[in-house]
Amino acid sequence: MLNPGIGLRIGKPGKGAFVISLSYKRQMVDAQRPLNTNDIRRDEHRIYNRLAVRLGVSF
């Protein structure tokens, strides 16, 4: 799993501020499932990608 991110706080110290965050997540999964009647082999390889943008208020 890989999950880097970066954030930015916009405002003056000691007062309220806006917070913006951007992160990316990549996850790879390998799975072996039980065989059904017609299957010779049943393996799965999946890659999940996610991009998240978060906005908020800090006080």
Side-chain angles (χ1 to χ4, degrees):
M1 184 176 349
L2 178 67
N3 191 7
I6 189 166
L8 179 65
R9 183 175 179 198
I10 303 169
K12 295 182 179 179
K15 294 188 176 185
F18 289 103
V19 180
I20 301 170
S21 174
L22 179 67
S23 64
Y24 171 75
K25 184 175 184 180
R26 179 181 174 97
Q27 186 175 6
M28 293 186 289
V29 178
D30 290 318
Q32 295 178 351
R33 299 178 135 208
L35 296 177
N36 290 335
T37 57
N38 297 335
D39 293 336
I40 297 173
R41 192 171 163 189
R42 194 164 178 201
D43 297 332
E44 290 187 19
H45 178 74
R46 295 184 181 193
I47 298 176
Y48 298 101
N49 294 305
R50 179 173 61 187
L51 181 66
V53 178
R54 296 180 182 175
L55 303 172
V57 179
S58 175
F59 49 91

